[in-house]
Amino acid sequence: MENKKVLIVDDQNGIRILLMEVFSSEGYNTFQAPNGKIALEIVNNDKPDLVLLDMKIPGMDGLEILKHIKEIDPDIKVIMMTAYGELDMIKEATDLGALMHFTKPFDIDEMRVAVNMQLRNDTANKCS
């Protein structure tokens, strides 16, 4: 099985580093981006299988980045992260194709299980 690619998009360096370590240790190729412009360059060049996307990013917000990701490749799975209880934004993100969301501070084990489930289901579906 080829290594799945996970892109972490968050303006907080500490969160990116933590998630990179977690998902690298799970065997994924990990990429990180502090903003939407870099995130979309990575999506175009490296075609990640899953994106962990923060809702509040200076410049281009998470919803805008999500729209662009889905335009580039509708099959890329996206999980949103938010520090706020913005239910309207979460609903809009779901309508735009986000699979689920985690509210910060999130449980890292819950996120790891969710990502593994999404990416392993993907593999199982392709094999059958």
Side-chain angles (χ1 to χ4, degrees):
M1 177 180 95
E2 74 192 71
N3 280 1
K4 295 285 186 176
K5 299 175 193 169
V6 176
L7 168 59
I8 296 136
V9 186
D10 198 305
D11 59 322
Q12 293 178 300
N13 191 42
I15 289 178
R16 289 197 316 271
I17 289 169
L18 170 70
L19 293 173
M20 295 251 326
E21 286 176 7
V22 167
F23 293 112
S24 292
S25 70
E26 289 286 310
Y28 299 117
N29 288 336
T30 54
F31 302 85
Q32 63 167 323
N35 60 49
K37 182 178 184 301
I38 294 170
L40 295 173
E41 285 172 13
I42 293 169
V43 168
N44 269 314
N45 298 330
D46 297 293
K47 303 285 186 246
D49 298 286
L50 186 140
V51 178
L52 292 168
L53 178 57
D54 190 28
M55 193 79 85
K56 285 284 188 199
I57 295 180
M60 198 185 304
D61 75 9
L63 291 174
E64 198 176 334
I65 297 167
L66 174 60
K67 286 177 194 166
H68 288 298
I69 289 171
K70 290 297 186 175
E71 284 168 10
I72 294 166
D73 184 347
D75 293 332
I76 294 175
K77 297 171 185 278
V78 180
I79 295 176
M80 303 301 292
M81 301 180 289
T82 178
Y84 313 93
E86 306 130 330
L87 290 174
D88 54 336
M89 283 181 80
I90 291 165
K91 181 180 177 338
E92 188 175 345
T94 306
D95 292 344
L96 289 169
L99 297 168
M100 61 180 71
H101 74 279
F102 283 89
T103 304
K104 294 177 183 176
F106 44 77
D107 181 316
I108 196 69
D109 288 323
E110 282 180 20
M111 182 173 279
R112 182 169 50 221
V113 166
V115 168
N116 284 335
M117 215 172 67
Q118 291 299 332
L119 293 176
R120 298 209 169 120
N121 282 349
D122 194 35
T123 305
N125 293 340
K126 286 184 178 161
C127 294
S128 55

